[in-house]
Amino acid sequence: MHCCPRLPESDGSSEVASPVAVLDTIHGAGLIAERMRLEGIEAAALEVYHNVPDVSGFNLVVVPVHLPPGNPAYEVARRLGKKVVTHHRTVGALLDGEWSFRAFEVTGTRGKTTTALILARILSARGTVASHTTRGIEIWKDGKSRLLMSGLSITPANVIRAFDVAENAGADDLVCEVSLGGTGLADFGVLTSFAGDYKIAGGTLWASTAKLQMVSLSKRGSKLIAGEDVGISADVTFGAGPRGRVWCTSREILDGKERVPLNLGESFDIESYAPAISGAAAAALAAGLDLKEIASALEGFEGLGGRMKKIWQDGILVLDNSNSGLRASGVEAALDLAGGGGKLALVVGEEAETVCEGMDVPALIEILARRRREIDLLILVGERLKPYVTTLSALSAQDLDSGLSRAKAALVRGDRIISCVKCFR
């Protein structure tokens, strides 16, 4: 069990400076504030996106790393000289201590969810694993998972939920996908990639800079696993280039000069999955598994729903690539994989602009306009794409499910659907 927390201070001391103001949405701030109160710390959750709460009476202010510095409450806190720390660091302090499981945290600009889920599958060959990703909180045993909670974001606040679930389930390992950095709790931290970096905090901070909290907050004795393009020294590096120790192909997995055959399924695009499988394998190797165990745990792996997975539904081939991390480039990659045969419907867009920063609409529209002739039926999902319905000769839908329903109603056996909607899956 963990011990009583000591909240961090910006000056490096560990004395608790209550009362504490936790800024964010009510949900995100509320989870952290509630945990503080359970630990005997006076704390309040303050919603700061539609309100300007008074922070003058608080000694410590806890902010999400993505909060723009021009946010009025944040601006006042700095002007008053309040001590300010991130949600990530605070969650790490609240949960710091002895736990009955090993903790893995996964972050990066690409492949977080896929890497975390594959890692959970691999680790579950040895014992019980809890995972928290955009798919929800799951319990894994022998490569199969059971969903306990869905619809949770991957903000640091939900790491609190995941830790409690893992402890109550008697898990041997916990794998957490964490947005924009680590909390410092990980025994094994994974930085998947810095490719396709983007700005956060109102355009004032690179996402990769925030994600480096995985390193800056890491605890003594923890191990770092990193993709080649991250460009930092790590305990294990994965990638296809000269710096990558671990990598996989459709037929084998490699650890330096050691090679072990892989027997994967055929219903997904292995090239899209190679970085995630390699990152998960690298983390498992760092945790003590050997290459043969990893290959065995991946035997028959058929891909993950929403991540370049091909499925048949009523005689229609569906390439399912709707997920929280979807980018415009992912839509084009799906079009490249569509193959031939029958009519092609593309269901594309976003269910919510706020899902992982929203879609890059100009880049998406450029792709759709350039490749419109390849698409027999185009269905645009979400409010931000409605203005383009006429110019792209498309239909509109409110969400993923209604978009897929419209597409299926217009197709027959032998036709194809590409599903590319940015959503929590």
Side-chain angles (χ1 to χ4, degrees):
M1 293 296 293
H2 75 290
C3 58
C4 184
R6 288 180 155 187
L7 292 187
E9 301 287 10
S10 58
D11 62 7
S13 66
S14 58
E15 180 183 353
V16 175
S18 61
V20 181
V22 187
L23 311 187
D24 199 13
T25 62
I26 281 297
H27 172 74
L31 285 171
I32 295 175
E34 180 183 9
R35 190 60 172 233
M36 287 181 174
R37 290 191 291 268
L38 287 174
E39 301 289 356
I41 301 166
E42 185 182 350
L46 304 178
E47 198 283 326
V48 293
Y49 299 102
H50 304 96
N51 299 284
V52 185
D54 181 7
V55 298
S56 62
F58 297 92
N59 293 320
L60 180 66
V61 178
V62 180
V63 301
V65 72
H66 60 261
L67 189 66
N71 178 274
Y74 189 9
E75 202 169 40
V76 168
R78 295 199 316 276
R79 188 172 70 246
L80 294 176
K82 302 295 180 181
K83 294 178 179 179
V84 177
V85 295
T86 65
H87 280 208
H88 291 78
R89 189 177 176 192
T90 302
V91 167
L94 284 169
L95 297 179
D96 186 29
E98 297 297 324
W99 294 90
S100 60
F101 51 82
R102 298 181 299 180
F104 297 73
E105 289 189 330
V106 182
T107 196
T109 54
R110 292 182 179 176
K112 297 185 294 297
T113 305
T114 309
T115 302
L117 290 171
I118 295 173
L119 175 57
R121 175 186 171 123
I122 293 171
L123 294 173
S124 73
R126 278 197 177 184
T128 300
V129 179
S131 69
H132 168 46
T133 67
T134 53
R135 211 164 73 168
I137 294 181
E138 300 171 75
I139 297 295
W140 295 75
K141 290 184 180 180
D142 298 321
K144 299 185 183 301
S145 70
R146 175 170 56 92
L147 184 65
L148 299 184
M149 303 180 191
S150 62
L152 301 178
S153 69
I154 55 170
T155 57
N158 280 319
V159 171
I160 296 172
R161 288 185 189 273
F163 264 67
D164 288 342
V165 167
E167 186 73 1
N168 293 334
D172 300 289
D173 294 305
L174 168 65
V175 180
C176 280
E177 176 189 4
V178 186
S179 176
L180 299 172
T183 65
L185 293 166
D187 299 293
F188 303 89
V190 183
L191 279 168
T192 60
S193 175
F194 280 174
D197 204 1
Y198 54 92
K199 290 288 189 73
I200 61 170
T204 63
L205 182 70
W206 285 103
S208 58
T209 303
K211 292 174 189 294
L212 281 171
Q213 289 179 106
M214 182 69 78
V215 180
S216 62
L217 297 179
S218 61
K219 65 185 181 183
R220 185 181 299 274
S222 64
K223 292 186 177 181
L224 178 67
I225 297 90
E228 255 189 321
D229 71 24
V230 173
I232 63 175
S233 178
D235 293 279
V236 185
T237 302
F238 61 93
R243 294 183 62 247
R245 172 183 142 188
V246 180
W247 191 245
C248 79
T249 69
S250 59
R251 296 184 177 181
E252 61 183 1
I253 187 165
L254 302 85
D255 177 14
K257 294 183 179 180
E258 184 182 2
R259 298 168 179 259
V260 172
L262 271 181
N263 183 20
L264 303 174
E266 299 179 353
S267 65
F268 67 103
D269 175 42
I270 180 58
E271 290 187 8
S272 299
Y273 276 78
I277 293 175
S278 303
L285 286 166
L289 279 73
D290 62 42
L291 211 56
K292 289 183 179 179
E293 282 183 279
I294 293 167
S296 177
L298 290 170
E299 185 172 356
F301 177 63
E302 295 280 354
L304 301 167
R307 286 163 174 81
M308 289 295 194
K309 182 176 174 66
K310 293 180 180 179
I311 54 177
W312 287 94
Q313 295 180 349
D314 300 323
I316 296 172
L317 179 63
V318 180
L319 176 57
D320 184 3
N321 195 37
S322 290
N323 62 77
S324 61
L326 183 68
R327 292 175 171 81
S329 58
V331 177
E332 184 145 45
L335 283 167
D336 291 340
L337 285 172
K343 291 182 178 179
L344 175 65
L346 173 61
V347 182
V348 63
E350 61 185 13
E351 286 192 345
E353 179 183 346
T354 56
V355 178
C356 297
E357 303 295 319
M359 285 280 276
D360 182 347
V361 171
L364 175 61
I365 297 304
E366 186 278 326
I367 292 169
L368 296 179
R370 175 163 43 86
R371 303 190 65 165
R372 183 64 182 86
R373 291 184 179 180
E374 304 170 37
I375 305 162
D376 297 290
L377 175 62
L378 178 61
I379 300 175
L380 303 179
V381 175
E383 291 297 320
R384 291 204 301 160
L385 295 187
K386 276 187 176 180
Y388 302 96
V389 166
T390 301
T391 55
L392 289 172
S393 300
L395 303 176
S396 66
Q398 183 177 354
D399 52 32
L400 172 61
D401 288 341
S402 58
L404 289 174
S405 294
R406 295 198 74 171
K408 290 175 183 177
L411 300 179
V412 298
R413 295 178 68 87
D415 289 341
R416 299 159 294 151
I417 296 175
I418 297 176
S419 175
C420 284
V421 176
K422 196 174 185 72
C423 55
F424 284 115
R425 293 183 76 204

